[in-house]
Amino acid sequence: MKKISGFILLILAFIVFFFEKFSVTGNIIKDNFNMNFLPLNLIVIGLLLASILIFTSKKSLDYLLIPDGSEGLLKKRKQTTIKEFERREGNIKKVYIMKGKDSEEDILKLGKMLKGGERVGIVTFPEHYLEYRELIRKAKRDHRFPKFVKVKKVNTREPGKDFPEKWYNLKESIYGHLGLWEEKLKKRKLDYVENRNDKFYRKFKNVIKKIIGL
């Protein structure tokens, strides 16, 4: 909506500008300046400034999505959510915790919730975000996710300041790549956990998650 308003103001500015240019008659330049320049050009400048402010303002989000997870992951995601609220000056309509049994279910449930045209942010680490993007691509392929949804990454990972933080980031990255490549290699249609035949792989992922301590 803001973008449309910005375009309208920009078009109006050009209309007023050209109207002012073509309103010059046979009068001398001084007379034309005194009569037309000040009010019309102030209108043009005002419209241009208004459109610039709209285009450069912090865009709102319809949803800020927080994937469910372990206590440690949720803590980081909630901290990042607070920072994102501050960065966007509160321009977030709704925060939604994704409570699917896994990432695939998260996207299927999200696909049912959205109508199309929304702006959503996903609060998670980079590899997990890429996994979600891959799942969204597949959900669209299966006609289970609406079109024209803009998905933004809200990154929870910060550079490690010491060895424990760097080690945690590495473990997070390993687990994230495991999920990402699972989705890249799978060709089947998306479905809910109870309808899938992949219990072995899900157990394997849970074992890896416990080993690396996420």
Side-chain angles (χ1 to χ4, degrees), residues 177-186 198 201 205:
H177 275 106
L178 190 65
L180 174 60
W181 280 103
E182 174 195 3
E183 297 308 326
K184 284 184 175 292
L185 293 172
K186 285 192 311 192
D198 58 356
Y201 190 77
K205 278 179 66 178

Side-chain angles (χ1 to χ4, degrees), residues 20-54:
E20 186 273 335
K21 285 295 182 184
F22 288 105
S23 68
V24 178
T25 63
N27 299 329
I28 60 174
I29 295 174
K30 184 177 179 181
D31 290 340
N32 190 67
F33 177 86
N34 289 334
M35 294 176 64
N36 295 329
F37 177 80
L38 187 59
L40 285 173
N41 281 273
L42 283 176
I43 291 171
V44 172
I45 292 168
L47 290 170
L48 285 172
L49 286 174
S51 63
I52 289 169
L53 284 171
I54 288 172

Side-chain angles (χ1 to χ4, degrees), residues 69-82:
S70 65
E71 186 178 342
L73 288 170
L74 277 175
K75 183 180 178 180
K76 288 181 70 176
R77 288 166 182 167
K78 288 176 180 177
Q79 289 171 346
T80 305
T81 297
I82 293 169

Side-chain angles (χ1 to χ4, degrees), residues 104-165:
E104 188 169 331
E105 282 202 359
D106 281 344
I107 296 304
L108 290 174
K109 290 183 176 183
L110 183 62
K112 285 184 175 181
M113 185 175 73
L114 301 177
K115 304 299 181 184
E118 294 94 341
R119 290 174 52 85
V120 302
I122 301 180
V123 185
T124 192
F125 54 92
E127 297 82 10
H128 194 204
Y129 173 77
L130 292 175
E131 180 185 350
Y132 275 131
R133 290 303 300 253
E134 181 67 18
L135 284 164
I136 289 171
R137 183 190 68 78
K138 289 182 176 182
K140 287 181 178 179
R141 175 201 66 189
D142 299 342
H143 307 290
R144 301 182 75 173
F145 198 92
K147 295 180 179 179
F148 310 116
V149 175
K150 291 187 177 180
V151 183
K152 304 290 182 180
K153 177 177 65 177
V154 182
N155 187 15
T156 59
R157 183 180 295 156
E158 296 181 356
K161 297 175 184 177
D162 50 31
F163 178 76
E165 289 184 2

